Amino acid sequence: MSALLGLRPEVQDTCISLGLMLLFVLFVGLARVIARQQLHRPVVHAFVLEFLATFQLCCCTHELQVLSEQDSAHPTWTLTLIYFFSLVHGLTLVGTASNPCGVMMQMILGGMSPEMGAVRLLAQLVSALCSRYCISALWSLSLTKYHYDERILACRNPIHTDMSKAIIIEAICSFIFHSALLHFQEVRTKLRIHLLAALITFLAYAGVLMMILMFSFFLPWLHNN
């Protein structure tokens, strides 16, 4: 603690945020181990594991947003964090979807029954709400200058462009990711996790780039021809 106090304030804030994210990962990891040992009913087991996975993902995403604001002048810092924690989530949350699209894709492909899919979707919804209030309580402690009680409850629009453009870019990125997910099924798990983490990082960076290229060059060219 004394070593942390000797650092610059912005470095202290970064260390605290990173520490919180790692604590989330460790807490969920411990809870998953206990759940695997104690829960034997498939439905309850699936619900709890999906709840924990989504909780970890949501809490870390909230804190990652804080970290990205701490050094917004250097986008490579944010991309590095996205890759690292995508890798962490991929390694620690094996066996869970943590995403409604992932659950629905498994249901469509016949890899999951509708009942189990509904259980997992419910777990994700409840967990996302719980993570929101957990983060709100944590930020109210003002551990860093970026943590404040009103932050999580503020209603902000995350879309910084026209709705039509956002839908197109989101659809393209989602298609690329889920197509890669299907093609990576035959790849060894450890390698697949690295590939998906790299792909997520690339899409986080390339989403803006694709929007610029598409609406500045491709669509005008298509219209003129």
Side-chain angles (χ1 to χ4, degrees):
M1 180 62 71
S2 59
L4 185 61
L5 293 175
L7 299 174
R8 292 181 301 169
E10 57 270 21
V11 178
Q12 290 183 26
D13 293 342
T14 300
C15 291
I16 291 173
S17 291
L18 287 173
L20 288 175
M21 295 176 74
L22 292 176
L23 282 176
F24 287 135
V25 174
L26 292 175
F27 168 76
V28 169
L30 178 61
R32 281 169 59 87
V33 170
I34 296 174
R36 290 183 185 277
Q37 294 176 348
Q38 301 297 325
L39 301 177
H40 303 291
R41 294 180 58 186
V43 174
V44 178
H45 183 265
F47 181 91
V48 172
L49 290 185
E50 198 69 45
F51 177 93
L52 291 171
T54 306
F55 184 82
Q56 173 182 315
L57 195 61
C58 289
C59 288
C60 288
T61 300
H62 284 307
E63 197 62 36
L64 182 60
Q65 184 181 11
V66 174
L67 276 169
S68 66
E69 294 178 5
Q70 292 180 21
D71 198 5
S72 57
H74 299 86
T76 52
W77 166 242
T78 303
L79 294 174
T80 302
L81 290 174
I82 290 174
Y83 175 80
F84 176 74
F85 279 99
S86 296
L87 196 60
V88 169
H89 296 321
L91 291 171
T92 58
L93 303 180
V94 176
T96 56
S98 309
N99 184 288
C101 292
V103 173
M104 289 187 286
M105 185 174 70
Q106 291 184 46
M107 292 170 61
I108 292 172
L109 295 175
M112 183 183 300
S113 66
E115 294 78 11
M116 184 60 71
V119 168
R120 289 180 179 270
L121 289 173
L122 178 62
Q124 291 174 7
L125 175 61
V126 175
S127 181
L129 292 174
C130 290
S131 69
R132 178 181 176 87
Y133 290 106
C134 176
I135 285 292
S136 179
L138 190 62
W139 285 354
S140 66
L141 300 177
S142 300
L143 297 176
T144 75
K145 67 178 182 180
Y146 298 94
H147 290 169
Y148 45 89
D149 194 24
E150 296 80 9
R151 181 188 184 95
I152 191 68
L153 300 177
C155 184
R156 294 175 296 178
N157 184 6
I159 301 174
H160 302 294
T161 184
D162 295 339
M163 183 63 70
S164 58
K165 296 180 180 179
I167 292 174
I168 293 174
I169 297 302
E170 181 68 22
I172 293 173
C173 291
S174 181
F175 175 79
I176 293 173
F177 176 77
H178 287 287
S179 297
L181 195 62
L182 289 174
H183 284 84
F184 289 164
Q185 292 299 320
E186 303 301 324
V187 180
R188 287 185 300 129
T189 302
K190 291 184 178 180
L191 178 59
R192 182 170 70 245
I193 292 171
H194 282 276
L195 291 173
L196 290 175
L199 179 61
I200 291 171
T201 306
F202 169 76
L203 291 176
Y205 172 76
V208 177
L209 182 61
M210 282 193 294
M211 183 177 68
I212 294 173
L213 292 175
M214 179 175 293
F215 291 97
S216 297
F217 300 101
F218 179 70
L219 290 184
W221 175 84
L222 198 63
H223 176 73
N224 294 329
N225 290 275

